Amino acid sequence: GAVVSQHPSWVICKSGTSVKIECRSLDFQATTMFWYRQFPKQSLMLMATSNEGSKATYEQGVEKDKFLINHASLTLSTLTVTSAHPEDSSFYICSARRQMNTGELFFGEGSRLTVL
Amino acid sequence: DAKTTQPPSMDCAEGRAANLPCNHSTISGNEYVYWYRQIHSQGPQYIIHGLKNNETNEMASLIITEDRKSSTLILPHATLRDTAVYYCIAPVLFGNEKLTFGTGTRLTIIP
């Protein structure tokens, strides 16, 4: 079946540094990818919608200058957490929709970010 | 905000059918119901989705009431590996699947 892969699966960084997380669709083309964030014992919260070749659309309350999203190809979207702080520590998850839509959204394995 | 209501937790004996209810009373005619599950520290896994007819696949069955205001996900023979948080997500417009997750149901399969 279709697979969405994220890298890295976990990362630890110092406060003030930037971290890039990649989301790849491995066997299909994805015109649209979504980025979610999940804090411990909470549900997934949608952060932004990433569209290939155009600017991402951010949900209310999500700072676009802090969470940079680039969807440069039909198989890759990246999320960069800039100037990370401990409150940015979270589980970041992406999902992707096939170009030929079958109605099924595929999720990556998630990337756990810990900011010291 | 999520527009579904699910019980926060349920237990089910291993080998028995697990029936997970969901209320989605605000759904309209062309909007879908999706079910996902999340095993601890993993990304959500797609289970099934439906519009108005009952659906079945290799993982589960989805029973949607005639008025479409509620549905039930059925895992026919639950195993320990089915322990997870199950999310019912509605309404979802086909082709615009910006999913809003609620709090889900934490299903625990008891040996």
Side-chain angles (χ1 to χ4, degrees):
Chain A
V3 176
V4 175
S5 179
Q6 288 184 235
H7 178 81
S9 48
W10 59 270
V11 57
I12 301 172
C13 71
K14 292 183 179 180
S15 187
T17 61
S18 295
V19 174
K20 180 186 286 188
I21 301 169
E22 294 184 346
C23 177
R24 292 182 185 274
S25 55
L26 297 185
D27 58 357
F28 66 97
Q29 293 184 323
T31 54
T32 302
M33 292 183 174
F34 301 92
W35 286 97
Y36 293 80
R37 179 168 55 182
Q38 186 176 32
F39 292 109
K41 299 188 185 301
Q42 294 185 23
S43 189
L44 285 77
M45 295 297 295
L46 180 65
M47 299 175 66
T49 302
S50 171
N51 298 299
E52 188 268 335
S54 64
K55 290 184 178 180
T57 304
Y58 291 82
E59 295 300 301
Q60 190 172 10
V62 178
E63 300 175 55
K64 62 180 181 180
D65 294 330
K66 180 165 184 65
F67 298 101
L68 301 179
I69 292 172
N70 186 346
H71 193 155
S73 77
L74 285 171
T75 59
L76 174 64
S77 175
T78 61
L79 168 69
T80 301
V81 183
T82 63
S83 186
H85 291 283
E87 58 265 30
D88 298 321
S89 298
S90 188
F91 194 47
Y92 292 88
I93 308 168
C94 72
S95 68
R97 190 178 82 202
R98 288 180 193 267
Q99 188 176 28
M100 297 300 293
N101 194 11
T102 60
E104 184 176 343
L105 266 180
F106 301 97
F107 283 81
E109 316 96 321
S111 299
R112 186 164 300 283
L113 170 64
T114 301
V115 184
L116 302 177
Chain B
D1 291 341
K3 296 180 179 178
T4 58
T5 304
Q6 298 179 253
S9 64
M10 292 180 65
D11 293 341
C12 178
E14 186 179 16
R16 306 297 289 267
N19 297 278
L20 293 94
C22 177
N23 287 324
H24 34 77
S25 58
T26 62
I27 201 168
S28 62
N30 60 344
E31 294 171 331
Y32 286 73
V33 179
Y34 277 65
W35 283 82
Y36 281 81
R37 72 180 183 185
Q38 187 178 27
I39 295 169
H40 184 62
S41 293
Q42 297 182 22
Q45 177 188 20
Y46 167 83
I47 302 173
I48 201 166
H49 72 280
L51 181 63
K52 55 182 178 182
N53 297 322
N54 297 338
E55 303 286 346
T56 296
N57 62 21
E58 65 277 6
M59 287 184 69
S61 295
L62 176 61
I63 309 298
I64 302 174
T65 57
E66 194 168 339
D67 64 7
R68 301 186 66 240
K69 293 184 184 301
S70 65
S71 61
T72 301
L73 178 75
I74 301 173
L75 307 179
H77 304 287
T79 70
L80 298 178
R81 287 179 294 181
D82 292 322
T83 292
V85 178
Y86 286 76
Y87 295 100
C88 166
I89 303 172
V92 180
L93 274 173
F94 196 88
N96 185 25
E97 297 91 347
K98 196 166 77 168
L99 303 183
T100 300
F101 284 78
T103 52
T105 296
R106 182 172 297 278
L107 175 67
T108 302
I109 306 302
I110 310 296

